[in-house]
Amino acid sequence: MSKQKIIGVWLVWALIWPLSLVLIYNLETPAVTGSRMNLMVFTLLTVIVALFPLRIGNHPVFFTQGVAFAVFLQYGLFVEMAISQMAVAVLLMKVRLSRHTMYRLPINLLMFLAISVISALLYEGMGGGHGPAAVDEFSDLFPITAYAVSQILLNQLFLSAISKWLYRRPFQWFDQGLLWDVMTAGLVLPIGFVLFVVFLQFGISGIFFVGIPFVFISGMMMMYHNSSQVNDYLKKASRIGHELTGNLGVTDVLDLFVDHITELLPVDHLYVFDVKESGQLNLIRFFDQSGGLDLPSILLEKGQSVSGHTLLTGKGAYYKKRTEWRTLESPYTPQASESVLSVPVVRNNDTVGVITVYSNQKRAFLQFQLLILTILANYLGVAIENARNYEKTKEESERCALTGLYNYRYFDDYMKQSFLRRGGDEQEPVSLILLDIDHFKKVNDTYGHESGNELLIELSSRLRGAAEEGMTLARYGGEEFVFLLPGFDEAAALAFAHHVQAVIRETPFTAYEHILKSGGPVSIPVTASIGAATYPDSCEEPFDLIRQADRAMYVGAKQRGRNRVAGYKDLIQPVQ
């Protein structure tokens, strides 16, 4: 919300709120003589039920509305309004508003003030009374019902109007909020009415008859909810851990971890550090909820910042507000952060990383969430190690062990996936060149197989240097190499093939591990035969490129003397 609107809210509250209290008191002059003890007990009950809400699922149900309903029926508008205003203040204290969200206090005070006044005017306009007169006759049911319904509808109306004005959200009359208000009121207001009736019969003891059992029930329900909440988090943590241990790469593991943590916890910033061999912390993943902060690579020393302190102690830490960790601030600490959770990532009894999450709200995290984050950190440690092993195994299965280039299996799969993604209607040219070293068997026979391997390694290095961005290079067979050239037409493919031919031919190769009697290195002149094919010019299906390039290489280059470049179209003889 803008600063101007926040100032406006406080000004409106300062002008309207105290004036309304004085005006209503003077107009109504509530008869509370001799009821001081009763009012104190009602007030105490209001505070207790505000601090210990009943939980239904994940929704809190505050019975302050029920207490205020009983107070209104007994004492009238002013006392009900005072009780309601105090209940709102206690509820917001329980939420622990930060300095940036304190504007919610005047907004809620004004909203509930308006609801109290309008509902009371409707009630008294329909002839409703107070004290014993509120339930004298059956007809008194109508103003009581109208009061209860108006509370629900006005609450929804004001919430929607405030959201539209302050936050520019679309105005919604019928939504889940209205349904929840109706369900809550259906539970709370009848209890408030029972409290009023019992109070009429038994006086102050009636408040205890209804209030004390209810407070105990609320307390037990709260403990049950907290236990259920912990169990729910543990189940979610188990599911997340199961997902992290799948066949994923390190990047995928980190992405999945960040997605789940930001859904599970009220996170504004998240740091994932890896411990280097030097003992420093290296930032490997950063998340910023606002999207406005972009951190460079970070290296933290042990003990530096919150994360470095966690590495130093080897223990998780929970800070409720900034003053508790101010001495651990660093240039990379988010400026607006308050609450912090920081846990080590432990693998085989060694700290291999640190996870630190920040929230801009004070006391944003619960104590048990530190345990949940610790469990997830251990899952992450295992998952990253598995991911690195998976990537290593995957790369070894896709790479030629001798040259380090992609192998036949990878290249074949890559072509299939690449052309399937393109779709059948894609007509952008794709070329492929296939090269084979001339007389490679003679090299092996003359200089030995180790020299042949040296030649293949040096050739792979030259081909890598010749490759341009977007190309895919692979060792296709023993002495065969292949380039996939997306976007290259026939002329461009042939030009690149001639360039590769020159890279191979112009500088002799050097063999050190040869079998000749001379001890020093020897130079080996090498040439290659190269075939090229282009889709859609040379074939109807892109999968035929290998076959057509292979045919061009053997028929157009090998059979015509070797050390040549041939295109598939060169093989096609025009019909006379």
Side-chain angles (χ1 to χ4, degrees):
M1 192 168 70
S2 66
K3 186 176 181 179
Q4 292 78 7
K5 286 185 177 180
I6 293 176
I7 295 174
V9 165
W10 281 105
L11 287 175
V12 171
W13 174 81
L15 290 172
I16 295 179
W17 191 77
L19 182 62
S20 299
L21 291 178
V22 172
L23 181 62
I24 292 171
Y25 180 84
N26 290 329
L27 288 175
E28 190 182 57
T29 312
V32 293
T33 305
S35 301
R36 184 173 299 174
M37 181 59 67
N38 294 342
L39 291 176
M40 289 177 62
V41 174
F42 271 120
T43 302
L44 180 61
L45 181 61
T46 300
V47 172
I48 293 174
V49 297
L51 293 175
F52 298 97
L54 179 66
R55 291 275 180 174
I56 299 179
N58 289 324
H59 298 281
V61 178
F62 295 97
F63 277 82
T64 54
Q65 187 181 11
V67 179
F69 186 32
V71 169
F72 173 76
L73 293 176
Q74 177 64 28
Y75 295 110
L77 172 60
F78 180 79
V79 179
E80 181 275 330
M81 188 173 64
I83 290 285
S84 295
Q85 296 289 292
M86 185 186 61
V88 170
V90 172
L91 288 174
L92 293 178
M93 283 174 54
K94 181 178 175 62
V95 174
R96 296 186 179 97
L97 296 178
S98 68
R99 180 171 56 87
H100 305 286
T101 58
M102 191 60 69
Y103 64 85
R104 292 171 56 187
L105 176 63
I107 290 176
N108 280 274
L109 290 176
L110 288 174
M111 184 181 79
F112 283 98
L113 174 66
I115 292 174
S116 295
V117 172
I118 297 173
S119 299
L121 290 175
L122 177 63
Y123 174 81
E124 293 178 0
M126 295 180 67
H130 300 283
V135 289
D136 271 350
E137 302 175 359
F138 179 79
S139 59
D140 291 330
L141 178 64
F142 297 105
I144 291 175
T145 303
Y147 178 87
V149 172
S150 66
Q151 290 259 315
I152 299 170
L153 297 179
L154 288 170
N155 185 69
Q156 179 69 11
L157 174 65
F158 281 116
L159 283 176
S160 297
I162 290 171
S163 294
K164 181 175 177 59
W165 178 63
L166 291 180
Y167 309 113
R168 296 182 180 179
R169 297 172 186 165
F171 187 93
Q172 291 184 337
W173 180 254
F174 295 101
D175 59 8
Q176 289 186 345
L178 178 60
L179 178 61
W180 181 247
D181 281 347
V182 171
M183 292 174 59
T184 303
L187 176 65
V188 171
L189 294 180
I191 293 178
F193 184 75
V194 170
L195 177 63
F196 165 67
V197 173
V198 172
F199 176 75
L200 285 181
Q201 295 295 322
F202 301 100
I204 193 172
S205 59
I207 301 177
F208 292 97
F209 291 154
V210 177
I212 291 180
F214 173 72
V215 169
F216 277 110
I217 291 173
S218 295
M220 288 187 291
M221 291 295 289
M222 266 193 73
M223 288 188 289
Y224 172 77
H225 170 75
N226 291 339
S227 175
S228 298
Q229 192 177 29
V230 173
N231 288 335
D232 183 55
Y233 268 81
L234 288 172
K235 290 177 182 177
K236 290 178 179 177
S238 178
R239 287 196 296 269
I240 294 170
H242 181 72
E243 290 183 42
L244 290 175
T245 53
N247 288 333
L248 302 172
V250 174
T251 299
D252 295 328
V253 166
L254 290 171
D255 287 342
L256 187 62
F257 179 80
V258 169
D259 288 343
H260 282 305
I261 290 297
T262 52
E263 291 174 2
L264 197 64
L265 301 176
V267 174
D268 288 298
H269 300 92
L270 184 149
Y271 297 74
V272 180
F273 291 94
D274 192 29
V275 178
K276 297 172 65 71
E277 292 184 2
S278 62
Q280 295 173 303
L281 285 177
N282 176 41
L283 183 67
I284 58 175
R285 184 52 56 96
F286 173 71
F287 169 81
D288 172 32
Q289 181 68 47
S290 68
L293 188 59
D294 184 20
L295 288 181
S297 58
I298 296 175
L299 282 177
L300 295 179
E301 301 295 335
K302 185 178 291 187
Q304 182 184 3
S305 188
V306 173
S307 301
H309 183 71
T310 299
L311 176 63
L312 179 66
T313 62
K315 299 179 181 179
Y318 170 35
Y319 303 102
K320 300 181 179 65
K321 52 187 177 180
R322 196 180 190 93
T323 53
E324 296 179 356
W325 53 273
R326 190 175 298 280
T327 56
L328 299 175
E329 289 187 41
S330 76
Y332 310 112
T333 304
Q335 293 300 312
S337 295
E338 291 286 349
S339 304
V340 185
L341 294 178
S342 185
V343 298
V345 180
V346 179
R347 182 64 177 154
N348 298 326
N349 295 322
D350 292 327
T351 300
V352 297
V354 172
I355 299 167
T356 304
V357 296
Y358 294 85
S359 172
N360 294 340
Q361 303 295 322
K362 293 180 180 179
R363 299 178 180 86
F365 306 113
L366 301 173
Q367 186 67 42
F368 76 86
Q369 289 173 334
L370 178 65
L371 170 64
I372 298 299
L373 187 60
T374 301
I375 294 172
L376 290 174
N378 292 331
Y379 281 137
L380 181 65
V382 175
I384 288 180
E385 183 173 343
N386 291 342
R388 285 171 176 162
N389 291 333
Y390 169 74
E391 287 181 343
K392 181 180 179 181
T393 303
K394 184 171 182 289
E395 182 171 345
E396 288 174 351
S397 70
E398 295 174 344
R399 297 278 181 176
C400 165
L402 178 66
T403 64
L405 299 180
Y406 288 120
N407 57 24
Y408 165 81
R409 189 176 78 172
Y410 172 84
F411 187 79
D412 190 54
D413 290 342
Y414 177 81
M415 280 192 64
K416 290 176 182 177
Q417 295 300 322
S418 177
F419 292 134
L420 286 175
R421 285 194 298 268
R422 287 165 57 90
D425 296 332
E426 182 67 52
Q427 292 300 311
E428 181 186 9
V430 178
S431 293
L432 184 144
I433 66 171
L434 185 67
L435 67 91
D436 181 88
I437 301 174
D438 295 329
H439 305 296
F440 185 68
K441 183 177 183 302
K442 186 177 179 181
V443 173
N444 282 331
D445 292 343
T446 304
Y447 302 99
H449 288 279
E450 289 191 16
S451 293
N453 288 340
E454 286 183 290
L455 189 152
L456 292 173
I457 293 170
E458 186 175 347
L459 175 61
S460 301
S461 177
R462 293 190 191 185
L463 295 180
R464 276 199 199 92
E468 300 174 5
E469 185 177 357
M471 296 180 179
T472 302
L473 168 64
R475 182 184 179 189
Y476 199 66
E479 63 268 24
E480 289 184 335
F481 296 82
V482 62
F483 283 89
L484 185 66
L485 314 174
F488 278 58
D489 58 17
E490 182 186 30
L494 289 172
F496 179 72
H498 281 289
H499 171 64
V500 171
Q501 182 190 37
V503 166
I504 298 171
R505 181 180 58 194
E506 290 177 356
T507 304
F509 288 69
T510 302
Y512 296 90
E513 303 296 332
H514 55 82
I515 59 176
L516 300 181
K517 292 183 179 180
S518 59
V522 297
S523 294
I524 304 174
V526 175
T527 62
S529 298
I530 304 175
T534 301
Y535 170 81
D537 297 335
S538 303
C539 52
E540 295 182 357
E541 295 291 337
F543 301 104
D544 293 331
L545 281 172
I546 281 282
R547 185 186 306 112
Q548 310 297 40
D550 189 43
R551 189 175 173 193
M553 181 183 70
Y554 276 98
V555 178
K558 290 280 188 186
Q559 293 181 7
R560 294 181 182 179
R562 292 182 171 84
N563 190 22
R564 291 175 177 270
V565 172
Y568 177 74
K569 292 185 72 175
D570 296 338
L571 307 181
I572 303 174
Q573 299 297 327
V575 179
Q576 300 295 331

